[in-house]
Amino acid sequence: MDGTDSKVDLGSIPLVALNVTVRKRLGLYLNPKHTVAADWTAVAETMGFSYLEIKNYEASRNPTKTILDDWAARNSESSVGKLVSILEEVERKDIVEDLQTLIDEDVRKYLETQKKKAEPPVQVPEVDSCVPRTPERSGITVDDIPGGIPEMFDAFICYCQSDFAFVLEMIRELEQTEYNLKLCVFDRNVLPGSCVWTITSELIEKRCKRMVVVISDEYLDSDACDFQTKFALSLCPGARSKRLIPVVYKSMTKPFPSILRFLTVCDYTRPCTQAWFWIRLAKALSLP
């Protein structure tokens, strides 16, 4: 990209650097079906999506946005540079040329933000990452000891309130049996009075080895569940660390979330595999 500092390797810039304006402009170019120029389907195919996945994306109101989000979540090698290469590969250099200035500006802002984050805090010579850094992040769970080692969990349970009965069954089957796992259930373990998003991020990233996502029609309408899932996915692009485990416990009328399609699902709705459900889930959560 001519407008960006020549020392910047766009292949090292994650897709999250691209802001809303660029993504909307990409949609304007790629969403309409063209008889000559390549559209979003050609980009999706080059990204590695299968025929069936691409057919599913046709139901989306903004398929370009959806494939960008899913590509970033499932592919650890996704980047601004790779996206530019894909657009050039499908012969859409016109898009690259038109958006070049906007992309360069987004990359510049992203690098500035990363540089600021890397700068040491004022008057704090050393920070131990194992210790909560602000008063808000200490004493956030019921069993936290102020000034002591933070309480740790085997898994964070992502759920909406309408699915809480199943979460209680999960507690009985995984905590109160020979599996002896320790689950982080927000309504049970988290103390009231702190910022929900800050506490949730702290728990998912630093306190819990994995996250169980209870999928249901109601889950799809939950902003909190959406945030928790996308935050956890951002910590493990491509799910190489097996950090997320989707669970389906009742039949759904809405489509399964596309952002989780590439993960193996633990399905409680299938009678033929129900007997193995809890042992499979327990063993997955017991992995190092």
Side-chain angles (χ1 to χ4, degrees):
M1 304 288 290
D2 296 335
T4 309
D5 188 333
S6 58
K7 295 181 181 179
V8 175
D9 175 18
L10 292 183
S12 66
I13 306 298
L15 214 59
V16 71
L18 297 182
N19 221 318
V20 175
T21 300
V22 169
R23 293 170 186 263
K24 283 185 176 180
R25 293 284 287 275
L26 283 170
L28 291 175
Y29 273 112
L30 296 172
N31 285 339
K33 287 284 187 179
H34 291 287
T35 55
V36 180
D39 58 18
W40 68 269
T41 58
V43 173
E45 185 175 8
T46 308
M47 286 175 172
F49 290 101
S50 68
Y51 170 76
L52 289 177
E53 288 175 320
I54 293 172
K55 292 295 289 182
N56 284 329
Y57 290 138
E58 288 180 352
S60 173
R61 286 183 297 179
N62 188 348
T64 299
K65 176 184 180 299
T66 306
I67 65 170
L68 287 175
D69 289 342
D70 287 5
W71 185 53
R74 70 190 287 178
N75 192 332
S76 59
E77 296 181 358
S78 62
S79 66
V80 174
K82 184 65 175 175
L83 176 61
V84 170
S85 297
I86 288 173
L87 290 171
E88 293 175 344
E89 186 176 340
V90 298
E91 299 183 350
R92 294 306 305 266
K93 290 184 179 180
D94 57 313
I95 300 178
V96 177
E97 292 172 358
D98 183 62
L99 300 184
Q100 176 177 318
T101 303
L102 292 173
I103 292 174
D104 289 348
E105 181 64 13
D106 282 353
V107 170
R108 183 188 67 78
K109 290 179 179 178
Y110 172 80
L111 292 174
E112 284 184 357
T113 300
Q114 295 303 110
K115 184 178 179 181
K116 289 178 181 178
K117 288 182 179 179
E119 292 175 355
V122 178
Q123 295 181 345
V124 180
E126 184 176 353
V127 175
D128 184 352
S129 61
C130 296
V131 178
R133 300 175 196 175
T134 67
E136 187 177 33
R137 295 190 187 183
S138 62
I140 63 176
T141 63
V142 172
D143 291 332
D144 265 353
I145 300 173
I149 298 174
E151 185 180 12
M152 306 300 289
F153 302 88
D154 291 300
F156 182 92
I157 310 301
C158 172
Y159 63 94
C160 60
Q161 290 300 317
S162 61
D163 298 322
F164 195 66
F166 180 72
V167 174
L168 293 176
E169 185 177 357
M170 193 180 295
I171 290 172
R172 288 193 297 270
E173 294 289 343
L174 299 178
E175 287 192 340
Q176 300 168 12
T177 60
E178 69 273 15
Y179 302 125
N180 197 32
L181 293 166
K182 190 171 184 179
L183 308 179
C184 182
V185 178
F186 202 91
D187 290 290
R188 177 189 68 172
N189 296 99
V190 178
L191 295 173
S194 298
C195 172
V196 172
W197 309 117
T198 301
I199 298 306
T200 301
S201 302
E202 167 87 8
L203 290 168
I204 294 172
E205 182 178 8
K206 300 179 181 178
R207 306 278 197 102
C208 301
K209 290 194 296 182
R210 286 177 174 77
M211 185 165 92
V212 175
V213 186
V214 181
I215 308 294
S216 65
D217 287 338
E218 294 78 15
Y219 160 91
L220 297 171
D221 297 324
S222 169
D223 290 336
C225 289
D226 183 65
F227 168 80
Q228 292 166 13
T229 303
K230 289 179 178 176
F231 179 77
L233 279 172
S234 73
L235 300 175
C236 57
R240 289 178 298 175
S241 64
K242 300 179 182 176
R243 188 181 183 98
L244 265 78
I245 303 174
V247 167
V248 177
Y249 80 98
K250 62 181 180 181
S251 59
M252 297 175 60
T253 59
K254 298 178 181 178
F256 189 84
S258 61
I259 200 170
L260 298 176
R261 279 187 195 280
F262 62 96
L263 293 174
T264 304
V265 178
C266 207
D267 193 344
Y268 194 66
T269 65
R270 297 173 60 196
C272 59
T273 61
Q274 208 170 72
W276 306 318
F277 177 85
W278 293 113
I279 189 169
R280 289 179 66 223
L281 183 56
K283 286 193 173 182
L285 296 179
S286 300
L287 292 172

